[in-house]
mmCIF file of all heavy atoms in Angstrom:
data_model
loop_
_atom_site.group_PDB
_atom_site.id
_atom_site.type_symbol
_atom_site.label_atom_id
_atom_site.label_comp_id
_atom_site.label_asym_id
_atom_site.label_seq_id
_atom_site.Cartn_x
_atom_site.Cartn_y
_atom_site.Cartn_z
ATOM 1 N N THR A 51 20.860 1.958 24.256
ATOM 2 C CA THR A 51 19.724 1.084 23.906
ATOM 3 C C THR A 51 19.771 0.770 22.420
ATOM 4 O O THR A 51 19.546 -0.374 22.019
ATOM 5 C CB THR A 51 18.396 1.766 24.294
ATOM 6 O OG1 THR A 51 18.423 2.004 25.710
ATOM 7 C CG2 THR A 51 17.217 0.896 23.948
ATOM 8 N N LEU A 52 20.076 1.777 21.595
ATOM 9 C CA LEU A 52 20.210 1.532 20.147
ATOM 10 C C LEU A 52 21.285 0.480 19.872
ATOM 11 O O LEU A 52 21.088 -0.413 19.051
ATOM 12 C CB LEU A 52 20.563 2.814 19.422
ATOM 13 C CG LEU A 52 19.440 3.732 19.004
ATOM 14 C CD1 LEU A 52 19.987 5.004 18.343
ATOM 15 C CD2 LEU A 52 18.431 3.044 18.090
ATOM 16 N N LEU A 53 22.392 0.603 20.557
ATOM 17 C CA LEU A 53 23.500 -0.353 20.347
ATOM 18 C C LEU A 53 23.042 -1.756 20.746
ATOM 19 O O LEU A 53 23.303 -2.709 19.999
ATOM 20 C CB LEU A 53 24.742 0.074 21.138
ATOM 21 C CG LEU A 53 25.924 -0.883 21.010
ATOM 22 C CD1 LEU A 53 26.322 -1.087 19.586
ATOM 23 C CD2 LEU A 53 27.078 -0.359 21.830
ATOM 24 N N ASN A 54 22.396 -1.888 21.874
ATOM 25 C CA ASN A 54 21.915 -3.204 22.280
ATOM 26 C C ASN A 54 20.929 -3.787 21.284
ATOM 27 O O ASN A 54 20.990 -4.963 20.962
ATOM 28 C CB ASN A 54 21.273 -3.141 23.677
ATOM 29 C CG ASN A 54 22.313 -3.014 24.780
ATOM 30 O OD1 ASN A 54 23.444 -3.407 24.619
ATOM 31 N ND2 ASN A 54 21.908 -2.466 25.884
ATOM 32 N N LEU A 55 20.040 -2.931 20.780
ATOM 33 C CA LEU A 55 19.047 -3.428 19.829
ATOM 34 C C LEU A 55 19.705 -3.770 18.485
ATOM 35 O O LEU A 55 19.262 -4.655 17.771
ATOM 36 C CB LEU A 55 17.948 -2.369 19.613
ATOM 37 C CG LEU A 55 17.030 -2.160 20.838
ATOM 38 C CD1 LEU A 55 16.098 -0.970 20.608
ATOM 39 C CD2 LEU A 55 16.230 -3.411 21.139
ATOM 40 N N ALA A 56 20.791 -3.076 18.127
ATOM 41 C CA ALA A 56 21.512 -3.389 16.885
ATOM 42 C C ALA A 56 22.143 -4.766 16.930
ATOM 43 O O ALA A 56 22.423 -5.356 15.900
ATOM 44 C CB ALA A 56 22.582 -2.312 16.629
ATOM 45 N N LEU A 57 22.348 -5.291 18.137
ATOM 46 C CA LEU A 57 22.980 -6.614 18.305
ATOM 47 C C LEU A 57 21.954 -7.729 18.461
ATOM 48 O O LEU A 57 22.316 -8.880 18.711
ATOM 49 C CB LEU A 57 23.899 -6.594 19.533
ATOM 50 C CG LEU A 57 25.030 -5.569 19.441
ATOM 51 C CD1 LEU A 57 25.796 -5.501 20.754
ATOM 52 C CD2 LEU A 57 25.960 -5.904 18.286
ATOM 53 N N GLU A 58 20.686 -7.408 18.281
ATOM 54 C CA GLU A 58 19.578 -8.362 18.406
ATOM 55 C C GLU A 58 19.670 -9.470 17.373
ATOM 56 O O GLU A 58 20.262 -9.274 16.296
ATOM 57 C CB GLU A 58 18.258 -7.629 18.159
ATOM 58 C CG GLU A 58 17.736 -6.945 19.347
ATOM 59 C CD GLU A 58 16.582 -7.710 19.986
ATOM 60 O OE1 GLU A 58 16.108 -8.709 19.434
ATOM 61 O OE2 GLU A 58 16.203 -7.301 21.073
ATOM 62 N N ASP A 59 18.995 -10.559 17.617
ATOM 63 C CA ASP A 59 18.854 -11.645 16.647
ATOM 64 C C ASP A 59 17.685 -11.410 15.700
ATOM 65 O O ASP A 59 17.701 -11.875 14.556
ATOM 66 C CB ASP A 59 18.681 -13.006 17.336
ATOM 67 C CG ASP A 59 19.985 -13.458 17.991
ATOM 68 O OD1 ASP A 59 21.071 -13.103 17.494
ATOM 69 O OD2 ASP A 59 19.889 -14.175 18.998
ATOM 70 N N ASP A 60 16.643 -10.736 16.165
ATOM 71 C CA ASP A 60 15.443 -10.559 15.363
ATOM 72 C C ASP A 60 15.675 -9.481 14.298
ATOM 73 O O ASP A 60 15.980 -8.322 14.600
ATOM 74 C CB ASP A 60 14.261 -10.179 16.246
ATOM 75 C CG ASP A 60 12.946 -10.262 15.507
ATOM 76 O OD1 ASP A 60 12.708 -9.387 14.616
ATOM 77 O OD2 ASP A 60 12.165 -11.183 15.778
ATOM 78 N N HIS A 61 15.552 -9.875 13.038
ATOM 79 C CA HIS A 61 15.844 -8.939 11.933
ATOM 80 C C HIS A 61 14.942 -7.748 11.910
ATOM 81 O O HIS A 61 15.354 -6.667 11.498
ATOM 82 C CB HIS A 61 15.824 -9.689 10.586
ATOM 83 C CG HIS A 61 14.450 -10.120 10.195
ATOM 84 N ND1 HIS A 61 13.647 -9.376 9.394
ATOM 85 C CD2 HIS A 61 13.751 -11.236 10.475
ATOM 86 C CE1 HIS A 61 12.502 -9.980 9.202
ATOM 87 N NE2 HIS A 61 12.533 -11.132 9.860
ATOM 88 N N ARG A 62 13.705 -7.878 12.356
ATOM 89 C CA ARG A 62 12.781 -6.727 12.360
ATOM 90 C C ARG A 62 13.275 -5.627 13.268
ATOM 91 O O ARG A 62 13.166 -4.449 12.965
ATOM 92 C CB ARG A 62 11.384 -7.163 12.757
ATOM 93 C CG ARG A 62 10.748 -8.153 11.736
ATOM 94 C CD ARG A 62 9.559 -8.817 12.337
ATOM 95 N NE ARG A 62 10.010 -9.740 13.405
ATOM 96 C CZ ARG A 62 9.206 -10.544 14.060
ATOM 97 N NH1 ARG A 62 7.927 -10.588 13.791
ATOM 98 N NH2 ARG A 62 9.692 -11.364 14.986
ATOM 99 N N VAL A 63 13.828 -6.018 14.394
ATOM 100 C CA VAL A 63 14.363 -5.039 15.364
ATOM 101 C C VAL A 63 15.584 -4.360 14.748
ATOM 102 O O VAL A 63 15.720 -3.132 14.777
ATOM 103 C CB VAL A 63 14.709 -5.731 16.691
ATOM 104 C CG1 VAL A 63 15.349 -4.746 17.650
ATOM 105 C CG2 VAL A 63 13.463 -6.351 17.317
ATOM 106 N N VAL A 64 16.493 -5.153 14.212
ATOM 107 C CA VAL A 64 17.738 -4.598 13.642
ATOM 108 C C VAL A 64 17.437 -3.711 12.431
ATOM 109 O O VAL A 64 18.082 -2.684 12.230
ATOM 110 C CB VAL A 64 18.753 -5.712 13.333
ATOM 111 C CG1 VAL A 64 20.057 -5.108 12.850
ATOM 112 C CG2 VAL A 64 18.993 -6.581 14.550
ATOM 113 N N GLU A 65 16.467 -4.078 11.624
ATOM 114 C CA GLU A 65 16.084 -3.264 10.492
ATOM 115 C C GLU A 65 15.574 -1.892 10.956
ATOM 116 O O GLU A 65 15.873 -0.860 10.361
ATOM 117 C CB GLU A 65 15.015 -3.951 9.641
ATOM 118 C CG GLU A 65 15.554 -5.118 8.844
ATOM 119 C CD GLU A 65 14.470 -5.991 8.232
ATOM 120 O OE1 GLU A 65 13.276 -5.670 8.367
ATOM 121 O OE2 GLU A 65 14.832 -7.020 7.617
ATOM 122 N N ALA A 66 14.773 -1.904 12.035
ATOM 123 C CA ALA A 66 14.269 -0.636 12.572
ATOM 124 C C ALA A 66 15.406 0.234 13.062
ATOM 125 O O ALA A 66 15.389 1.452 12.848
ATOM 126 C CB ALA A 66 13.260 -0.913 13.708
ATOM 127 N N VAL A 67 16.384 -0.365 13.735
ATOM 128 C CA VAL A 67 17.532 0.382 14.212
ATOM 129 C C VAL A 67 18.341 0.925 13.026
ATOM 130 O O VAL A 67 18.729 2.101 13.043
ATOM 131 C CB VAL A 67 18.429 -0.512 15.119
ATOM 132 C CG1 VAL A 67 19.746 0.181 15.443
ATOM 133 C CG2 VAL A 67 17.664 -0.870 16.390
ATOM 134 N N ALA A 68 18.556 0.105 12.020
ATOM 135 C CA ALA A 68 19.334 0.533 10.847
ATOM 136 C C ALA A 68 18.676 1.712 10.139
ATOM 137 O O ALA A 68 19.366 2.578 9.576
ATOM 138 C CB ALA A 68 19.511 -0.643 9.879
ATOM 139 N N ALA A 69 17.360 1.776 10.160
ATOM 140 C CA ALA A 69 16.641 2.859 9.495
ATOM 141 C C ALA A 69 16.527 4.111 10.373
ATOM 142 O O ALA A 69 16.120 5.166 9.883
ATOM 143 C CB ALA A 69 15.243 2.373 9.117
ATOM 144 N N ASN A 70 16.931 4.013 11.631
ATOM 145 C CA ASN A 70 16.810 5.166 12.527
ATOM 146 C C ASN A 70 17.812 6.259 12.113
ATOM 147 O O ASN A 70 19.012 6.035 12.111
ATOM 148 C CB ASN A 70 17.091 4.704 13.978
ATOM 149 C CG ASN A 70 16.865 5.798 14.989
ATOM 150 O OD1 ASN A 70 17.114 6.969 14.753
ATOM 151 N ND2 ASN A 70 16.343 5.400 16.141
ATOM 152 N N PRO A 71 17.291 7.452 11.759
ATOM 153 C CA PRO A 71 18.189 8.520 11.292
ATOM 154 C C PRO A 71 19.156 9.022 12.359
ATOM 155 O O PRO A 71 20.134 9.688 12.050
ATOM 156 C CB PRO A 71 17.241 9.624 10.848
ATOM 157 C CG PRO A 71 15.927 9.320 11.435
ATOM 158 C CD PRO A 71 15.888 7.843 11.736
ATOM 159 N N MET A 72 18.913 8.701 13.611
ATOM 160 C CA MET A 72 19.804 9.141 14.687
ATOM 161 C C MET A 72 20.923 8.135 14.971
ATOM 162 O O MET A 72 21.780 8.380 15.827
ATOM 163 C CB MET A 72 18.997 9.397 15.966
ATOM 164 C CG MET A 72 17.901 10.434 15.790
ATOM 165 S SD MET A 72 18.450 11.994 15.026
ATOM 166 C CE MET A 72 19.434 12.636 16.360
ATOM 167 N N LEU A 73 20.922 7.033 14.288
ATOM 168 C CA LEU A 73 21.936 6.000 14.520
ATOM 169 C C LEU A 73 23.320 6.513 14.098
ATOM 170 O O LEU A 73 23.494 6.970 12.970
ATOM 171 C CB LEU A 73 21.600 4.728 13.730
ATOM 172 C CG LEU A 73 22.443 3.502 13.992
ATOM 173 C CD1 LEU A 73 22.180 2.998 15.404
ATOM 174 C CD2 LEU A 73 22.148 2.422 12.987
ATOM 175 N N PRO A 74 24.283 6.449 14.984
ATOM 176 C CA PRO A 74 25.641 6.906 14.632
ATOM 177 C C PRO A 74 26.220 6.092 13.472
ATOM 178 O O PRO A 74 25.949 4.891 13.329
ATOM 179 C CB PRO A 74 26.447 6.684 15.914
ATOM 180 C CG PRO A 74 25.451 6.625 17.008
ATOM 181 C CD PRO A 74 24.204 6.029 16.383
#
Side-chain angles (χ1 to χ4, degrees):
T51 301
L52 275 177
L53 179 56
N54 285 336
L55 291 172
L57 300 173
E58 276 258 352
D59 288 330
D60 192 289
H61 68 93
R62 295 165 292 184
V63 176
V64 184
E65 288 168 3
V67 171
N70 186 323
M72 302 309 290
L73 188 68

